[in-house]
């Protein structure tokens, strides 16, 4: 099983404001409105998304479901209501990152897209993420929900590639050194 992160952060390392707003991610109008920063290629490469409950609730608030028919697994220790129209593609799981990877591997999945700050941190701590693709937005927001958190030991990364875009966004790809 391979697991990857594709996420955007402010330059000071936040993926959302404290209240969950992600308004700063869209930034100024891009000079190239068709630029997707490699998202579609990445999305096509994954078999499923695994996201934390907070991220799921945020995506639901958009009104339009962005992940089409791709399977989405929502991690939560609580009861999470899934809208009827998503019940064929969204499932709630309550398990450790290791159990989640093992269960989904048994269901034939090879590559997972891990999303949500807290969830990414738990999978990183468990040594289950191989690739991080981080797009940095040129803005400081001062406080918010951090992408990374405390660790019990260092996680070494290998820088693979950095690309900058006319919009000012900078995207770096790292592989986790096992
Ligand atoms: N900048 C970006 O590209 C980007 C990407 C994704 C999300 N976001 C934003 O980030 C915010 C959400 O991030 P977040 O760090 O607050 O939370 P999150 O990772 O989306 O969700 C955290 C919640 O997921 C559940 N969870 C995670 N791992 C679990 C496990 N192994 N077992 C059971 N439950 C587990 C827990 O929910 P329970 O409390 O129910 O147990 C936990 O409180 C949202 O505002 C979202 O819009 C931004």
């Amino acid at each position: 099983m391979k697991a990857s992160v594709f996420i955007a952060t402010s330059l000071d390392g936040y993926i959302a404001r404290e209240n969950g707003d992600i308004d700063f991610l869209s930034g100024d109008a891009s000079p190239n409105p068709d630029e997707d920063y490699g998202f579609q290629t990445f999305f096509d490469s994954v078999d499923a998304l695994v996201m934390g409950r907070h991220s799921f609730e945020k995506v639901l608030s958009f009104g339009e479901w962005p992940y089409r028919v791709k399977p989405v697994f929502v991690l939560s220790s609580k009861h999470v209501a899934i809208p009827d129209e998503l019940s064929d593609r969204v499932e709630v799981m309550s398990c450790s990152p290791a159990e989640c990877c093992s269960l989904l591997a048994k269901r034939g999945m090879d590559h997972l897209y891990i999303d949500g700050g807290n969830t990414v941190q738990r999978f990183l701590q468990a040594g289950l993420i191989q690739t991080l693709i981080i797009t940095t937005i040129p803005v400081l927001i001062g406080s918010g929900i951090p992408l990374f958190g405390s660790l019990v030991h260092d996680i070494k990364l290998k820088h693979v590639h950095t690309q900058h875009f006319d919009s000012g966004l900078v995207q770096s790809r790292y592989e986790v050194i096992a």
Side-chain angles (χ1 to χ4, degrees):
M1 176 64 83
K2 177 175 155 69
S4 302
V5 173
F6 188 107
I7 206 159
T9 78
S10 63
L11 184 58
D12 48 354
Y14 299 108
I15 60 167
R17 297 189 192 277
E18 276 166 5
N19 64 3
D21 274 4
I22 50 170
D23 54 299
F24 64 95
L25 294 181
S26 40
D28 298 330
S30 167
N32 178 3
D34 294 331
E35 180 61 72
D36 80 341
Y37 303 98
F39 180 76
Q40 193 60 50
T41 302
F42 171 76
F43 188 74
D44 291 344
S45 79
V46 301
D47 299 308
L49 280 89
V50 175
M51 65 173 63
R53 176 178 60 84
H54 297 164
S55 294
F56 175 64
E57 287 172 350
K58 187 69 185 178
V59 175
L60 280 187
S61 76
F62 298 160
E64 193 177 334
W65 185 247
Y67 305 121
R68 300 192 296 275
V69 295
K70 190 85 78 180
V72 172
F73 297 90
V74 179
L75 286 171
S76 178
S77 58
K78 303 188 166 88
H79 170 76
V80 180
I82 305 296
D84 287 347
E85 65 275 18
L86 296 177
S87 60
D88 61 341
R89 65 198 87 164
V90 178
E91 220 176 285
V92 181
M93 295 177 98
S94 182
C95 53
S96 70
E99 287 165 337
C100 172
C101 288
S102 161
L103 285 167
L104 297 184
K106 282 182 192 144
R107 287 169 65 167
M109 292 169 194
D110 296 324
H111 187 193
L112 302 178
Y113 170 5
I114 312 298
D115 209 17
N118 174 276
T119 304
V120 166
Q121 290 172 29
R122 294 192 204 206
F123 276 72
L124 271 173
Q125 285 263 21
L128 294 166
I129 288 181
Q130 288 79 42
T131 302
L132 295 164
I133 301 165
I134 299 173
T135 305
T136 306
I137 317 291
V139 63
L140 304 172
I141 64 168
S143 63
I145 298 172
L147 172 54
F148 299 117
S150 58
L151 291 168
V152 289
H153 56 75
D154 293 353
I155 296 176
K156 291 192 176 172
L157 307 171
K158 176 176 184 279
H159 174 251
V160 178
H161 182 69
T162 291
Q163 186 178 5
H164 61 88
F165 296 86
D166 292 344
S167 58
L169 274 59
V170 176
Q171 185 178 76
S172 294
R173 181 187 182 106
Y174 297 90
E175 302 293 337
V176 174
I177 298 171

